[in-house]
Amino acid sequence: PPAQIMFCTLNTHKADMDKLLGAQIGLEDFIFAHVKGQRKEVEVLKTDDVLGLTITDNGTGCAFIKRIKEGSLMDQTKIICVGDHIETINGKNVSDCRHYEVAKMLKDLQKGQMFKLELIEPMKAFEKLEPRSKGGTLPAAKISRGRETLRLRSKGPATVEEMPTEVEEKAIKKVDELLETYMGIRDIELAATMVEAGRDKKNPDEFAVALDETLGDFAFPDEFVFDVWGAIGDAKQGRL
């Protein structure tokens, strides 16, 4: 059932956070769905303002851990793993919350206090499978200019369209990095939407208005919006 799917990866059965299904799917890509597995609970003493987690989501109410910073508080808590779905924070169910909301809740937890997380790890169904021969590996994703792709959107129908240009791909990657720096989240679809919003804008004020119209729920800080505009401009000028 769709509600059991935590996230999908492209061209690998492993929970590889670098191969997550994003806004674009190549028409020759293989998609693997990772479903909910074992539940687990952990209590953590928040000894640092920063937990060291990067959160992303599948767009339908399943926020999960994309990255754990090495040496961070969460890195020391070995029961918490990359790919885990955060189901509750201190007993509050966050299954219907977006990744930026979950990231904010974790950031707002009081330093020096214990907090409890209930997590669901992805089911490990293919760990012992290996290709039958060297020639049996899955084809690598072919990302090339002009290749058709299936574009997924959280609102509206999926469409087949051209891949982003090389310049736009560089801008999207940089904006995704800025999302992690400012908000503790990763979201290629969101980054792509932001780059699209700035495609025909002439200045940061026009860009800010466009973002507010399409992504007002995120309440992006002004400094972040300015840096995103700068990243788009750097990509256009060949500085990325």
Side-chain angles (χ1 to χ4, degrees):
Q4 290 297 308
I5 297 175
M6 297 171 61
F7 53 87
C8 295
T9 51
L10 290 180
N11 302 315
T12 177
H13 65 269
K14 298 179 181 179
D16 185 340
M17 297 295 107
D18 291 326
K19 301 291 180 62
L20 285 174
L21 171 62
Q24 286 90 20
I25 311 172
L27 298 182
E28 298 175 4
D29 285 336
F30 285 85
I31 303 172
F32 290 83
H34 299 257
V35 299
K36 295 178 180 178
Q38 179 181 342
R39 280 179 161 79
K40 51 192 179 183
E41 295 183 6
V42 61
E43 289 191 345
V44 181
L45 174 63
K46 188 175 184 183
T47 56
D48 198 339
D49 290 324
V50 179
L51 295 177
L53 292 181
T54 298
I55 310 297
T56 190
D57 68 30
N58 64 3
T60 57
C62 180
F64 58 91
I65 299 169
K66 181 168 184 180
R67 183 177 293 114
I68 301 175
K69 185 177 180 181
E70 186 176 354
S72 67
L73 174 62
M74 287 305 193
D75 187 39
Q76 299 166 28
T77 310
K78 299 306 179 184
I79 194 173
I80 299 173
C81 304
V82 167
D84 286 353
H85 163 46
I86 301 174
E87 187 176 40
T88 72
I89 302 174
N90 285 334
K92 176 180 172 59
N93 193 303
V94 296
S95 293
D96 291 330
C97 297
R98 291 299 311 272
H99 48 359
Y100 60 94
E101 296 173 307
V102 174
K104 186 176 187 303
M105 290 179 200
L106 292 172
K107 185 177 181 180
D108 290 345
L109 291 170
Q110 188 173 351
K111 186 177 177 180
Q113 298 292 317
M114 295 288 295
F115 65 94
K116 184 173 78 170
L117 297 178
E118 293 182 53
L119 307 156
I120 304 176
E121 65 181 33
M123 187 179 294
K124 296 175 175 62
F126 295 97
E127 294 301 310
K128 296 182 179 179
L129 290 184
E130 294 292 340
R132 286 175 290 180
S133 68
K134 291 183 179 179
T137 54
L138 292 171
K142 300 175 184 176
I143 301 176
S144 59
R145 191 169 182 177
R147 181 181 174 215
E148 283 189 319
T149 182
L150 181 65
R151 176 70 193 275
L152 301 180
R153 293 180 174 83
S154 56
K155 296 180 181 179
T159 56
V160 176
E161 56 188 54
E162 294 295 315
M163 288 287 288
T165 65
E166 184 177 348
V167 169
E168 288 174 333
E169 285 179 352
K170 290 180 179 179
I172 290 168
K173 181 180 178 181
K174 181 61 178 180
V175 172
D176 195 31
E177 293 171 355
L178 289 171
L179 281 168
E180 181 174 25
T181 300
Y182 278 87
M183 303 180 67
I185 64 175
R186 279 275 182 154
D187 189 327
I188 283 290
E189 180 185 356
L190 177 59
T193 300
M194 297 180 78
V195 170
E196 285 181 2
R199 184 175 288 160
D200 58 349
K201 301 302 178 289
K202 297 181 176 62
N203 56 62
D205 290 334
E206 288 185 7
F207 178 57
V209 171
L211 283 187
D212 192 51
E213 290 175 350
T214 56
L215 300 167
D217 290 345
F218 286 85
F220 295 123
D222 292 342
E223 183 181 1
F224 170 73
V225 173
F226 188 79
D227 280 356
V228 170
W229 174 253
I232 294 172
D234 286 344
K236 290 179 179 178
Q237 297 297 320
R239 293 192 291 266
L240 291 184

